[in-house]
Amino acid sequence: IEPMLAAFRERHEYVVRTLNRLPGVRCTESDGTFYSFPDFSEAISNLEGVNDDVELAEFLLQKAGVALVPGSAFGAPGYLRLSFATSMDVLESALGRLKRALSS
């Protein structure tokens, strides 16, 4: 179990650090979960034609090929949920595509 915990800790730290570098995104560390729950409110206000987290999730799915769950489904509009229960290679690729989509 120790190597598994270390792997998930590494993924968690990478995801939080990388999300906080994306334009208009703020992410705090989570505790004991396999997902992050970043605030995309500023990114939403900066993207023309994107008015809420549901529209942003659709935009990112279409533009970056990354599936995120809108926070409004959890009573947290403006947030999106991203799972890091995958490999570092997949996370690096997905977060790179998110960065390009949010920067364009």
Side-chain angles (χ1 to χ4, degrees):
I1 290 185
E2 286 301 319
M4 194 176 193
L5 289 174
F8 276 102
R9 185 175 300 116
E10 177 187 14
R11 293 173 198 167
H12 170 263
E13 290 171 358
Y14 172 76
V15 166
V16 170
R17 181 176 61 249
T18 304
L19 285 169
N20 279 318
R21 292 179 180 154
L22 298 181
V25 180
R26 290 178 312 160
C27 186
T28 59
E29 294 188 13
S30 57
D31 189 22
T33 64
F34 299 110
Y35 58 86
S36 62
F37 205 55
D39 180 358
F40 279 82
S41 298
E42 186 179 328
I44 291 167
S45 67
N46 291 336
L47 289 168
E48 189 173 325
V50 175
N51 300 301
D52 58 31
D53 55 304
V54 174
E55 290 180 5
L56 180 60
E58 179 66 27
F59 171 82
L60 293 173
L61 181 60
Q62 296 298 319
K63 185 140 180 146
V66 178
L68 302 168
V69 180
S72 56
F74 305 98
Y79 287 72
L80 296 173
R81 189 173 84 166
L82 182 151
S83 171
F84 53 84
T86 188
S87 71
M88 278 297 286
D89 289 341
V90 169
L91 290 171
E92 289 169 350
S93 175
L95 289 170
R97 293 192 314 270
L98 284 180
K99 180 179 180 180
R100 287 189 293 280
L102 292 172
S103 298
S104 60

